[in-house]
Amino acid sequence: MELSTLLPFLANVIVGGLVLGFVYAIIALGYTMVYGVLQLINFAHSEVFVTGAVVGFEVFRVLAPVNMNGYLKLLIALLAAMTISGLLNVIIERLAYRPLRGAPKLVPLITAIGVSLILQDVLRVIEGFQGRFDLTYTLPNGFAAPFCGPESSCVGLGKFLTGIGVSLQLKDVILIIVSLLSLAVLNYIVNRTRMGKAIRAVAQDRVTAGLMGIDGNRMISATFLIGGALGGISGVLFGMKFGTVNAYSGFIPGVTAFTAAVLGGIGSIPGAVLGGLLLGVLEKLIGVSNVFGELLGIKNLAVIDDSYSKLGAFIALVLILIFKPTGLLGKSNVEKV
């Protein structure tokens, strides 16, 4: 591969990694929000995320024959997924986690895994009744079209990306915009609203927050609602990006997003975003290792193709836990005795 083709190739890989990283970042925020308040790793979040993906599929399927603006269909899908996934997360907290708050930490962790398995089978049964397993998204017209074709009158960033040989579909740009808007709204809620301040107070010291008149249970439920809504958004974005989902689609993205949260610093919102973006780019780079192997003449590297792309997340998780368990932006937590 010549230099003139290598640079556009690398640019496409990195931009594609950033697009994927935004999906991981939104999923990771659901883990980090809950952990920040309860120090609980909610492994059921991967199924909450898949529930959002299934809801998005159903909305797009029902609205497919309706003559309606594609962006309006997307908005309805996002709102429906946010609502159902958010409420599902609140119900999980109320029924499965709240009764176990005084139990040893291993108990709610095992419970989270059990809830995850239950939700997988519930989703499989619901879709199985309708004779479906793999759910293929029916996107509005134009969503899969190039965002900025060579003959388009592109401006700004789109013109720059096209100029260096990067090709993006419209759905990729929508994914980035929705992710950035979600991050902006979350940042506003957490840092600029009374509810956000109350959530942060409960995360810092639940007992003292209660003495100040803050309802800890209510704020924890609000945290699960926000985390679930983010899971719903990421589910729809995941379905748009990859096209097909099923009841078991949440495991690998969930583990990757959990790794992103740990990489950035579990409990840190900026850390979850940073970790997601880094893992997205790392995954894409590993997926094209065979290209680098051919360029450098390293035969062993040349056999690593896209099927090994997930390897980076698991290697990163092990290395983080060994060398920097608090993550890139995380802080060490000293438990009060």
Side-chain angles (χ1 to χ4, degrees):
M1 183 180 292
E2 298 179 358
L3 184 62
S4 59
T5 55
L6 177 61
L7 292 179
F9 174 77
L10 284 176
N12 273 287
V13 169
I14 292 172
V15 172
L18 291 175
V19 172
L20 180 61
F22 275 115
V23 177
Y24 291 151
I26 301 298
I27 304 174
L29 286 171
Y31 285 105
T32 209
M33 285 285 293
V34 171
Y35 185 87
V37 173
L38 282 181
Q39 280 71 57
L40 166 70
I41 299 172
N42 181 21
F43 281 118
H45 185 67
S46 57
E47 275 57 56
V48 173
F49 140 74
V50 170
T51 300
V54 172
V55 171
F57 161 80
E58 293 292 350
V59 171
F60 281 125
R61 182 182 66 84
V62 171
L63 296 180
V66 179
N67 185 18
M68 182 186 296
N69 183 280
Y71 296 106
L72 183 56
K73 291 181 180 180
L74 174 61
L75 179 61
I76 294 172
L78 287 172
L79 291 176
M82 289 170 63
T83 301
I84 294 178
S85 294
L87 292 177
L88 174 62
N89 220 25
V90 171
I91 292 171
I92 291 172
E93 186 276 327
R94 183 64 185 88
L95 298 181
Y97 299 151
R98 188 177 298 183
L100 301 175
R101 275 195 205 149
K105 288 187 177 181
L106 187 61
V107 176
L109 183 65
I110 295 173
T111 302
I113 297 173
V115 171
S116 174
L117 296 174
I118 291 171
L119 289 177
Q120 281 183 3
D121 286 335
V122 168
L123 286 172
R124 186 184 66 169
V125 168
I126 291 174
E127 291 300 326
F129 280 151
Q130 303 176 66
R132 294 192 293 266
F133 180 75
D134 289 321
L135 313 177
T136 302
Y137 265 54
T138 306
L139 294 178
N141 292 332
F143 275 32
F147 166 63
C148 205
E151 299 179 0
S152 304
S153 55
C154 298
V155 294
L157 183 59
K159 184 176 182 180
F160 170 75
L161 292 175
T162 304
I164 61 174
V166 174
S167 59
L168 284 174
Q169 293 179 313
L170 178 58
K171 64 181 182 180
D172 295 325
V173 179
I174 292 172
L175 188 153
I176 294 173
I177 292 173
V178 171
S179 299
L180 291 175
L181 288 175
S182 302
L183 294 173
V185 171
L186 177 64
N187 181 69
Y188 177 79
I189 291 174
V190 171
N191 295 307
R192 303 293 181 184
T193 65
R194 292 183 63 185
M195 182 177 69
K197 293 177 182 177
I199 289 174
R200 285 187 285 127
V202 172
Q204 187 172 10
D205 192 321
R206 196 185 315 162
V207 175
T208 303
L211 295 175
M212 297 295 105
I214 297 173
D215 188 338
N217 286 333
R218 186 177 178 185
M219 290 305 104
I220 291 171
S221 294
T223 302
F224 272 82
L225 179 65
I226 295 170
L230 290 169
I233 293 172
S234 59
V236 175
L237 297 180
F238 180 87
M240 288 176 55
K241 175 65 178 172
F242 294 99
T244 303
V245 297
N246 59 51
Y248 303 104
S249 294
F251 177 72
I252 295 297
V255 171
T256 307
F258 169 68
T259 304
V262 176
L263 172 61
I266 190 84
S268 167
I269 291 176
V273 177
L274 176 62
L277 296 176
L278 288 175
L279 279 188
V281 173
L282 177 62
E283 183 174 315
K284 286 293 185 180
L285 288 173
I286 291 178
V288 296
S289 294
N290 54 340
V291 176
F292 296 115
E294 292 174 4
L295 286 173
L296 300 173
I298 304 175
K299 294 182 179 180
N300 292 335
L301 194 61
V303 300
I304 301 178
D305 56 18
D306 189 57
S307 62
Y308 292 90
S309 61
K310 300 296 181 185
L311 186 65
F314 298 104
I315 293 176
L317 179 60
V318 173
L319 293 177
I320 295 159
L321 293 176
I322 293 175
F323 296 107
K324 201 175 191 311
T326 57
L328 297 175
L329 303 181
K331 299 177 181 178
S332 59
N333 231 354
V334 180
E335 294 191 8
K336 301 178 181 69
V337 181

